[in-house]
Amino acid sequence: MSKKSQKILIVLLCIACFGAGISVPMILDHTSSVDSKEQKKFGTIYSILNTDWYYSNKIKNLDSTLIEQAITGMTTLDKDAHTNYFNLEQAKAFSTSLEGSNVGLGISFYLNENKHFVVSNVYINSTADKKGLKPNDEIISIDDLNCSENDSDSIIKYIKSHEGKSVKIKYLRDGKEYTTNLIPGTFDSTVVCNIYDGYGEIILSSFSENSGKDFSKAMSRLQEAGIKKLVLDLRNNGGGYLNAALEISSSLIPSKSVVFKEKDKNGKITKQKTKNEFSQVKMDKIVVLQNENTASASEVLIGALKDNLGDIVTTVGTTSYGKGTEQVTVPFSDGTSFKYTVAEWYTPNGTSINKKGFKPDIEVELGEVKTTSYYKFKKKDVIKKDSVDDNAKALQVYLQYLGYSVDRTDTYFSNTSSQGLVNFQQDNDLEATGDCDKTTWDLLVEKVLLKMNETPSDDVQRQKAIEEAQK
């Protein structure tokens, strides 16, 4: 894997690829006539590579390798970046990205200064949700495992190994200790619902098979609580199943409304409408959070809301990705698959956002620390003062965020910024070298994540959305 491919955002992005706009997988039996001269040319080259090529006896499974590469070449088209052939590993990863299912308690968390697991999100219908765990609960221990004495990987591994078995959770809420038993199991990690004073928040990370019913349950909770104002967070949501977009739209817009229109290669227009099994929960105000990674099915939802509800809907953030096409997937018996474009979609009013995206009603850029990415930091890596390094930008941005003095935030790690690092190392009982090794790096990232989680006001996009919802 190249260093470039290992680029990581400090804030987890659930958008590994824009596999959005996917319809239900299809098995097709297409045949076509190919010019006999081209077939002969292909056969000749294939035969030469198999028999006369110098390296032919040095490649394992040469036959299948040649065919796989030919298929990859045939499906790598400049015209359409969303038509792809997936080998076995890629097909599994793509399928997993659409499933949205995980095994565990059904929470996301961060570590605080006491090394307790602080709940940041609770997923709808998970075991944690059913047992009433809430954001800001501090998990002290799981059975005999003290969180402060074990790293997160060990705790997660223990939870997954106890799928279907009861585990005892000790946690703190508002300084008081509680104990409950939870049974780790499969949960859909796409819908989070939080209720605040005067407004509700739904975080939708993707459009999986179960997102529609989970979203409907979230809307019912808001309705039962008398909430009439919603902040809907679609940031970094790359989409998923279009059917889920139809179901989710059905909980927000009137029955029999058009959610989107499809246009096939022959120009035929098909209207896709709300699902009868989902009832609209009326809101007085809906504020949608979006960014450059909000794509496809997410954009379908934005278009449906804007065109059907008008001024009730306000979008906040940055311009969305602009994926206005729809794909279907053809799975093969060997586990590989082929995804190809079958249509372009339009909003109910007939607008195409393909390669353009939706501009927000209120544009708000995140601070640099929220958008700065870095490459995987290896054990042998060291960022030395007075040198250029790919991760020097992140290093200096993070130092600045934590209040240490730096004089620049690019890939040159200056002597002045190095002194800021010395101060960080001294404050955290590390060897004060002014150079950044992996120990220093890991602690720096941990401190940055902690401050991000404990300072929600730093998310200026979300803060603006809340302000708009409360007007």
Side-chain angles (χ1 to χ4, degrees), residues 101-197:
S101 61
N102 292 278
V103 173
L105 302 179
I107 62 172
S108 60
F109 62 87
Y110 64 93
L111 297 179
N112 65 9
E113 295 283 5
N114 298 320
K115 302 298 181 183
H116 293 164
F117 288 17
V118 182
V119 177
S120 51
N121 287 312
V122 180
Y123 295 100
I124 287 280
N125 281 332
S126 66
T127 181
D129 182 45
K130 293 171 183 175
K131 282 293 187 123
L133 260 66
K134 298 178 179 180
N136 298 319
D137 287 345
E138 293 184 36
I139 298 179
I140 304 169
S141 64
I142 300 176
D143 286 339
D144 294 327
L145 293 180
N146 290 320
C147 293
S148 60
E149 298 173 0
N150 292 272
D151 59 29
S152 57
D153 289 340
S154 299
I155 296 291
I156 292 170
K157 184 178 179 181
Y158 182 83
I159 291 170
K160 287 182 178 292
S161 69
H162 283 71
E163 180 180 4
K165 303 172 185 176
S166 180
V167 295
K168 185 170 70 174
I169 307 291
K170 284 186 180 180
Y171 65 95
L172 292 173
R173 178 180 295 170
D174 299 325
K176 186 176 180 180
E177 185 175 307
Y178 296 87
T179 301
T180 188
N181 291 315
L182 300 179
I183 300 176
T186 301
F187 65 95
D188 190 279
S189 57
T190 60
V191 181
V192 171
C193 178
N194 298 314
I195 298 176
Y196 300 103
D197 185 18

Side-chain angles (χ1 to χ4, degrees), residues 218-280:
M219 292 302 297
S220 294
R221 286 187 185 179
L222 298 186
Q223 187 176 43
E224 291 166 5
I227 297 295
K228 303 296 289 184
K229 297 179 178 181
L230 170 65
V231 174
L232 175 58
D233 194 342
L234 297 178
R235 291 176 297 176
N236 303 320
N237 185 327
Y241 291 118
L242 281 174
N243 188 62
L246 288 172
E247 293 176 348
I248 290 167
S249 297
S250 303
S251 291
L252 295 168
I253 63 178
S255 175
K256 299 181 181 178
S257 297
V258 175
V259 176
F260 67 97
K261 299 175 181 177
E262 295 172 312
K263 184 175 79 171
D264 67 15
K265 68 175 185 177
N266 298 316
K268 180 184 176 183
I269 302 291
T270 303
K271 295 179 180 180
Q272 297 290 349
K273 298 185 178 183
T274 54
K275 300 279 189 177
N276 293 331
E277 60 267 36
F278 295 90
S279 299
Q280 179 194 13

